[in-house]
Amino acid sequence: MMKLKKLNAAILAGLAGYSLSMTVATTALAEEEAAEENVEKIAVVGARGAPRSVTSSPVPVDVLTAEDINGVASSDMNDIMMTLVPSYTLTRQPISDGGTFIRPAQLRGLPTDKTLVLVNGKRRHRAALVEIGGSGTQGPDIATIPSAALGSVEVLRDGAAAQYGSDAIAGVINFQLKNNAEGGSLSLDVGQYYEGDGDQYTISGNKGFSLGDDGFLSISAEVTDSEATYRGEQYCESWFCVDEQSDEYIAAAEAMGNSVHGSSQVQPWGQPNYSGAKVFLNAGYALNSDMEIYSFANYSESEGDGSFFYRYPGNGTIEDLREQDGSIYSPLEKFPGGFTPRFFGDITDYSFAAGLKGMTGSLGYDISGRYGYNEISYTLKNTINPSMGSASPTSFKPGDLSNDELQFQADFTYDLAEYVLAFGASYMEESYEISAGDAASVAVGPYSSPDPWGFCDGTASADALASALANGLDCSDPNDPVYTAVGVGSNGFPGYSDAATGTYERDSYAVYADISGDITDKLFAQAAIRYEDYSDFGSELVYKIAGIFQVTDEIAIRSSFGTGFRAPTPGQQGTTNVSTRLPNGFPVATGLFPAAGPEAQALGASALKPETSTNFTLGATADVGNFTLTVDYYRILLEDRVNAISTLDVSTFEPTDPESESYEADLAAYQRYLALDAAGVEGANTIGGVFYFQNAFDTVTQGIDIVGTYNFESEYGDTTITASMNFADQNFNSDPKVYFNNEAIYDFLNGTPATRGVLSVKHAMDDMSFTARMNYFGGYSNSEGSNQVSAIQIFEPEVMFDLEGTYFISEMLSVSAGARNLFDNYPDAGEIGETCCGRIYRSDSIVDWQGGYYYMRLNMSF
């Protein structure tokens, strides 16, 4: 404990006022911290008073070093986090609108909008994307952070809303940027999947510069490009099979695939094409021994593209239409083999933060401001606006989404000898904007309604009617194309209408206090309280207490209890989306509408309100020689949890037989159509499903995190063994049937592995080093059947191995080679439900289904 107290005092004095930022450091302090890093990992999250080691922290914290981060063969920070932190899980969803480009993740079984993301201790701005399914996650896009920019990553696995504010229900992730004043690194990474696709290269580097004698500027950059993978098969379902069509059609369909995405499969499944360039700057300057200024900033541009579901003749999109001259038109004239819409996303992200911190007497201060902006600009190609008929273009700009945040913050610490008092205040403005695209992407063309030219209602001219009759018009035939009505807007992702566009804004302010310190030589404790007020949700008061008791010099027991909350984002409150989904295994146009908007209100929705939580942890730590171990139980009660409801059917057909078994369901579907039409939804008659976000239910998430590390030396070199495992269980604490059907209830509880584990071994000897890693995914299951579960598939546990070897050519140069998923393992193929349409593996599985990947990396340090 004495060593830790001295370290705390040195940091408090040397930094001239402790804050979470830890951005600015003089060269001498950097050297001091580097020396300490060789002894134990230090975390700045968890206790606002002063940094603590992982095993002396009152709450669970993982600290990932730059070496840990660089040891993962991926340029995506999401994949790195999932590989190193078992309680962090991730999926690859090829067909998920914007979710194709910004991937949804979870920490401790909860979506990432329940996790607060920090950079240098400052809140990271959110991405513009609102995930249209699940909890409607709108969180920061951590893929915009290049690994070359990071000195470390701290993962606080505990509720911390009382300390850090809204969103910190599941935990906090703090990305610490490098602060080197000299030297640098450069790496070139190239790789390919065993299947011969998915070629990827990444060039990344960092360079430090001194600013006079008392400052630094660290610049990091990354350029990456990865090509698509294909892990599907040809589209062949009971309702339509490409291989069972005419030879001419099969050839046209395969040609369409090859010309659009490079595969003869009309429906590609795999990771999308992606490329990006990212830059991060971190700077600081000591004005004197008691005052420092700091700043950090980023700019990134990235683009990706993926496919939607294949459109085949007769699926409601490719339909015969009777045109104004009476002739029959089919979209097959534009796309002879059907078509698969291609979705493109261009993402721009930038931020800037600056502050002044120092120490005056026993009072430390940190005054800062930050601004962050994220924008997604969509393009849709290889598709049509069906309602425009032959006049439809095949490329559209559906619109843009943007999110920006401005925050000013003041943090203070006061040294009370044995205790540290931290307090502060913040003010934040948030804005979410939906911008309109081109007119054709939202156009309600004539073919959105039957008989648009009046051939059968007597309003057409005599000449037009004569032409139509000459082309086979038969008004007595209900199947005549004259009666066909098709969807409006660019198919796959209609543009944002005037009613959907707009800006959603709010502001908030907060004050907090936190006190921590050694109550006795063996007991460290902390308590925090926070008051926040939102212009759209009112105020909330939350608190937290935590402590760690040192049973012996090596063993300690720790626990925490606290409350938390999360205010739904402006994006979650305002997002609108109409896209093609498969609620019952068949493609239908499905609309997502804001809970407080007229459309959802007409369907019975309630305006969103904040989520609240109660967190409890109990654990033990051991630090015995070269062995460290932490075991922590956690329980999170989340009330008024925001989630999308199960998709509700919509139908334009009014049921007439009250004795029918489906009468009530059919009547409800028809009434929803009437409600949408009355609410002014354009093309309501072409929408087959609807849903919205609600405070749907309460849940209890509980589990155990275990992390153990053992270091030893031998005549054959130095070895580090790290084992970490997460056991998680999630249950409802209220009746979810108001908003969920039975299939959704089952999949919510059983759809992800309850157990995740990572075992890694690092060994260094002479000019060589080796890393072997085992990833374990427990079993899980999935159901189908909507209101009545008719089938369940059990997925067996999976184990995947990574292996990497590095040869140090010189002190400056090294070369690495390795394989991710060494034995080319795949999860079980899907047999029910969503695994249709050419898909072999469940695309929402957290078990990777891309297969083995091998790579080489050239590293240079200077």
Side-chain angles (χ1 to χ4, degrees):
M1 293 295 290
M2 185 60 67
K3 178 178 66 174
L4 185 60
K5 289 181 180 179
K6 290 181 178 179
L7 173 64
N8 291 346
I11 293 177
L12 283 169
L15 287 181
Y18 170 73
S19 78
L20 274 176
S21 170
M22 294 292 286
T23 304
V24 181
T26 62
T27 302
L29 181 61
E31 293 174 351
E32 177 183 342
E33 290 180 337
E36 189 68 35
E37 179 69 19
N38 292 328
V39 179
E40 57 188 346
K41 292 182 176 180
I42 305 300
V44 298
V45 295
R48 274 192 175 272
R52 299 184 67 84
S53 68
V54 169
T55 53
S56 69
S57 171
V59 290
V61 181
D62 296 317
V63 178
L64 312 177
T65 66
E67 182 182 0
D68 295 329
I69 296 167
N70 295 332
V72 179
S74 177
S75 62
D76 189 324
M77 185 54 61
N78 278 298
D79 288 323
I80 294 173
M81 292 294 297
M82 181 172 175
T83 300
L84 298 176
V85 182
S87 57
Y88 187 95
T89 57
L90 189 69
T91 63
R92 166 69 68 193
Q93 299 190 14
I95 300 180
S96 186
D97 294 321
T100 302
F101 316 122
I102 300 178
R103 301 159 66 189
Q106 293 186 335
L107 180 67
R108 295 203 301 167
L110 295 177
T112 45
D113 60 356
K114 313 298 188 291
T115 298
L116 178 62
V117 176
L118 310 173
V119 173
N120 280 349
K122 307 300 182 186
R123 180 184 286 264
R124 179 71 173 164
H125 62 276
R126 298 184 182 94
L129 175 70
V130 178
E131 303 286 351
I132 62 173
S135 68
T137 295
Q138 186 192 8
D141 181 10
I142 69 171
T144 59
I145 304 175
S147 58
L150 298 175
S152 65
V153 179
E154 300 155 355
V155 182
L156 168 61
R157 293 177 277 107
D158 188 42
Q163 296 163 290
Y164 305 121
S166 177
D167 302 345
I169 288 178
V172 179
I173 301 176
N174 184 31
F175 294 91
Q176 293 280 86
L177 301 176
K178 291 178 178 177
N179 57 7
N180 51 310
E182 59 182 14
S185 62
L186 181 67
S187 71
L188 170 62
D189 190 309
V190 295
Q192 183 185 76
Y193 284 93
Y194 287 10
E195 293 291 330
D197 56 12
D199 292 7
Q200 177 177 305
Y201 75 82
T202 302
I203 302 173
S204 61
N206 166 267
K207 181 67 178 76
F209 303 90
S210 61
L211 300 179
D213 294 331
D214 300 308
F216 72 91
L217 170 63
S218 183
I219 302 176
S220 305
E222 178 182 282
V223 176
T224 186
D225 183 273
S226 59
E227 297 180 358
T229 61
Y230 302 97
R231 299 293 179 271
E233 58 190 4
Q234 189 59 282
Y235 194 110
C236 188
E237 301 295 338
S238 59
W239 52 83
F240 189 87
C241 181
V242 171
D243 293 336
E244 294 175 0
Q245 307 307 306
S246 66
D247 291 342
E248 293 80 5
Y249 187 91
I250 294 173
E254 292 179 347
M256 179 275 296
N258 280 305
S259 65
V260 173
H261 52 72
S263 170
S264 61
Q265 301 167 5
V266 298
Q267 176 66 73
W269 292 100
Q271 72 175 21
N273 293 305
Y274 175 85
S275 62
K278 311 162 190 175
V279 178
F280 249 95
L281 287 79
N282 190 27
Y285 190 85
L287 300 175
N288 55 50
S289 60
D290 294 321
M291 184 180 295
E292 306 171 15
I293 57 173
Y294 62 88
S295 68
F296 53 94
N298 87 285
Y299 183 85
S300 72
E301 288 186 350
S302 61
E303 60 182 2
D305 63 86
S307 292
F308 284 156
F309 286 102
Y310 170 62
R311 271 59 169 168
Y312 52 86
N315 74 338
T317 300
I318 300 180
E319 300 286 352
D320 288 344
L321 304 172
R322 197 168 286 281
E323 297 225 280
Q324 191 170 9
D325 64 359
S327 64
I328 294 178
Y329 161 78
S330 169
L332 291 175
E333 296 178 23
K334 295 181 184 290
F335 301 104
F339 65 92
T340 304
R342 292 288 291 177
F343 195 46
F344 298 77
D346 294 307
I347 303 173
T348 302
D349 184 281
Y350 56 84
S351 67
F352 177 79
L356 173 70
K357 65 181 180 180
M359 178 75 76
T360 174
S362 297
L363 179 68
Y365 59 88
D366 183 347
I367 313 298
S368 64
R370 69 172 183 91
Y371 176 78
Y373 179 85
N374 183 276
E375 179 185 73
I376 304 176
S377 180
Y378 290 134
T379 301
L380 196 59
K381 298 181 180 180
N382 205 61
T383 188
I384 57 174
N385 179 335
S387 69
M388 295 178 68
S390 60
S392 172
T394 59
S395 179
F396 304 85
K397 290 281 190 181
D400 303 335
L401 304 174
S402 64
N403 188 89
D404 67 346
E405 299 174 18
L406 176 67
Q407 183 177 22
F408 298 100
Q409 189 168 333
D411 298 299
F412 302 92
T413 60
Y414 192 79
D415 189 0
L416 299 171
E418 289 298 321
Y419 303 97
V420 175
L421 174 65
F423 57 96
S426 72
Y427 172 79
M428 183 165 66
E429 295 179 352
E430 303 172 74
S431 175
Y432 177 78
E433 183 176 7
I434 302 175
S435 302
D438 57 45
S441 69
V442 296
V444 180
Y447 302 101
S448 63
S449 300
D451 195 16
W453 309 117
F455 293 131
C456 296
D457 64 7
T459 59
S461 67
D463 290 343
L465 180 59
S467 177
L469 290 171
N471 282 281
L473 172 67
D474 183 0
C475 292
S476 65
D477 180 4
N479 295 318
D480 190 285
V482 72
Y483 294 118
T484 300
V486 289
V488 303
S490 45
N491 186 253
F493 192 93
Y496 297 111
S497 65
D498 290 340
T501 58
T503 301
Y504 302 83
E505 298 177 312
R506 76 171 175 209
D507 59 74
S508 62
Y509 66 86
V511 293
Y512 74 90
D514 180 305
I515 188 167
S516 59
D518 294 316
I519 296 178
T520 69
D521 288 343
K522 292 182 175 293
L523 177 63
F524 173 89
Q526 69 175 126
I529 189 170
R530 187 182 190 93
Y531 175 86
E532 294 207 32
D533 184 87
Y534 282 79
S535 60
D536 54 353
F537 286 117
S539 58
E540 193 78 30
L541 181 68
V542 294
Y543 66 90
K544 178 179 178 177
I545 56 174
I548 182 168
F549 181 76
Q550 205 72 35
V551 180
T552 69
D553 289 343
E554 296 83 14
I555 298 174
I557 298 173
R558 61 188 179 188
S559 184
S560 70
F561 181 86
T563 60
F565 79 105
R566 192 193 72 84
T569 69
Q572 285 177 312
Q573 298 177 71
T575 192
T576 298
N577 179 279
V578 178
S579 59
T580 301
R581 296 170 65 103
L582 281 81
N584 298 306
F586 191 82
V588 297
T590 306
L592 165 68
F593 299 102
E599 305 90 351
Q601 291 281 299
L603 296 168
S606 302
L608 297 179
K609 57 184 179 180
E611 300 167 296
T612 59
S613 68
T614 303
N615 295 62
F616 172 73
T617 66
L618 177 64
T621 71
D623 192 346
V624 183
N626 295 328
F627 176 69
T628 63
L629 176 68
T630 63
V631 180
D632 294 279
Y633 164 80
Y634 62 89
R635 183 182 188 274
I636 306 170
L637 169 62
L638 183 55
E639 298 180 281
D640 295 320
R641 181 166 174 171
V642 173
N643 208 90
I645 68 170
S646 294
T647 300
L648 303 172
D649 291 335
V650 177
S651 174
T652 59
F653 296 100
E654 181 179 8
T656 57
D657 182 9
E659 302 301 322
S660 169
E661 292 184 3
S662 63
Y663 176 76
E664 291 187 4
D666 294 340
L667 180 61
Y670 176 66
Q671 290 173 338
R672 293 185 193 109
Y673 157 68
L674 296 177
L676 292 176
D677 188 58
V681 176
E682 295 179 336
N685 62 309
T686 64
I687 292 178
V690 66
F691 67 109
Y692 43 83
F693 297 124
Q694 285 288 268
N695 295 97
F697 40 71
D698 305 337
T699 60
V700 173
T701 303
Q702 58 186 340
I704 297 176
D705 284 319
I706 303 174
V707 181
T709 302
Y710 181 62
N711 303 284
F712 64 92
E713 299 178 2
S714 71
E715 60 180 305
Y716 303 106
D718 301 333
T719 304
T720 299
I721 302 174
T722 302
S724 52
M725 184 162 285
N726 170 254
F727 305 90
D729 178 67
Q730 187 162 244
N731 286 288
F732 292 105
N733 204 46
S734 66
D735 187 0
K737 293 184 178 180
V738 176
Y739 299 107
F740 266 14
N741 59 34
N742 288 329
E743 178 184 8
I745 291 173
Y746 184 92
D747 293 345
F748 185 89
L749 297 176
N750 303 283
T752 57
T755 304
R756 268 271 287 137
V758 179
L759 173 65
S760 65
V761 179
K762 298 181 181 179
H763 181 72
M765 57 179 294
D766 299 327
D767 297 330
M768 302 284 291
S769 70
F770 301 92
T771 300
R773 183 182 297 112
M774 180 187 76
N775 282 277
Y776 174 81
F777 301 86
Y780 56 103
S781 57
N782 177 64
S783 69
E784 71 172 356
S786 189
N787 289 323
Q788 296 296 326
V789 173
S790 58
I792 294 175
Q793 180 180 1
I794 306 296
F795 293 83
E796 296 299 322
E798 300 290 343
V799 180
M800 296 183 179
F801 294 88
D802 303 337
L803 182 64
E804 177 180 291
T806 300
Y807 175 68
F808 295 90
I809 301 171
S810 66
E811 291 184 0
M812 295 179 56
L813 192 64
S814 66
V815 60
S816 303
R820 189 171 70 225
N821 191 2
L822 179 66
F823 300 110
D824 197 28
N825 195 18
Y826 286 83
D828 294 341
E831 298 174 356
I832 61 175
E834 296 87 344
T835 44
C836 73
C837 315
R839 175 170 32 186
I840 297 175
Y841 309 101
R842 288 188 57 84
S843 55
D844 62 352
S845 170
I846 71 168
V847 183
D848 185 70
W849 45 277
Q850 304 302 312
Y853 177 86
Y854 57 89
Y855 61 91
M856 289 191 67
R857 183 170 60 244
L858 183 65
N859 307 284
M860 178 182 295
S861 59
F862 48 88

